[in-house]
Amino acid sequence: MVSEAFRGEFYQKVDSKARVSIPAAFRRILDAEDPASEDFPRPRVYMVYGGKSRNFVECYSKAGADALAAKIEAMELGSPERDRAERDLISRSVMVEIEPDGRIVLPLKVRAKMGFGPEDLASGGEAAFAGYTNRFKLYRRETYDAEFADDDDDGVDPLALVGRAARAG
């Protein structure tokens, strides 16, 4: 169970060494859901870069990553659905420790998923962090801005969507 929801949108610079600061509000959740241990004295973020149709990296706290893994383990062993979930959500993921200054270095496969090549890092790119309750998504800022530029044009009140889901459940 998530102790607090990841909320909000944040934009952070990615430096020439592929380092980016995790927003402070997100770091507090990551820290709370990954108590320090002898093996891992710093909080971790689990970054899922799998899924061909995804143009973002999905990020989980330790507790969130464990909950996701438990749901996958509950799937039928050997089923195509479980195999795909394991491949795209477990195999194609990486755990990164958060530096004391709140930054992480984006691993190569994460950078590739986000569309950051060496030339982008040299010229200074930006990452968009978007909260999604029990996880957050990490995009290249241009991708995020383009994807959500027109998303509110359907005339539907988002609270009505929540109400429909509550009645259906």
Side-chain angles (χ1 to χ4, degrees):
M1 179 65 106
V2 173
S3 61
E4 178 64 44
F6 290 103
R7 301 172 194 273
E9 299 172 305
F10 303 91
Y11 301 104
Q12 304 284 63
K13 294 280 185 199
V14 179
D15 73 13
S16 62
K17 296 180 181 175
R19 296 176 301 200
V20 65
S21 291
I22 296 178
F26 289 5
R27 284 197 315 266
R28 283 192 291 277
I29 297 168
L30 294 167
D31 192 39
E33 294 188 3
D34 189 10
S37 68
E38 190 174 314
D39 291 334
F40 294 101
R42 297 187 309 232
R44 296 165 278 183
V45 60
Y46 291 76
M47 308 178 85
V48 177
Y49 57 84
K52 290 180 182 177
S53 65
R54 295 170 161 220
N55 59 359
F56 56 87
V57 174
E58 202 155 40
C59 301
Y60 293 87
S61 67
K62 169 74 167 93
D66 289 347
L68 178 63
K71 288 178 182 177
I72 293 169
E73 287 176 354
M75 297 171 76
E76 183 183 344
L77 188 62
S79 70
E81 295 83 6
R82 179 172 172 164
D83 288 347
R84 180 167 181 196
E86 286 177 322
R87 180 189 69 231
D88 286 349
L89 303 174
I90 302 296
S91 297
R92 294 180 180 156
S93 70
V94 62
M95 179 271 294
V96 178
E97 287 188 67
I98 301 170
E99 297 296 327
D101 64 2
R103 293 188 302 184
I104 58 170
V105 175
L106 298 173
L108 182 60
K109 289 187 177 188
V110 167
R111 293 193 310 263
K113 183 68 167 185
M114 294 174 69
F116 281 116
E119 65 285 346
D120 300 304
L121 297 176
S123 62
E126 256 188 310
F129 290 77
Y132 279 80
T133 62
N134 69 334
R135 66 205 185 283
F136 62 92
K137 295 180 181 180
L138 187 56
Y139 293 81
R140 184 178 172 137
R141 181 172 183 164
E142 297 88 346
T143 303
Y144 181 76
D145 289 346
E147 183 166 320
F148 295 105
D150 298 325
D151 72 336
D152 293 335
D153 290 344
D154 59 8
V156 176
D157 181 344
L159 285 176
L161 299 173
V162 173
R164 283 184 218 148
R167 285 191 299 276

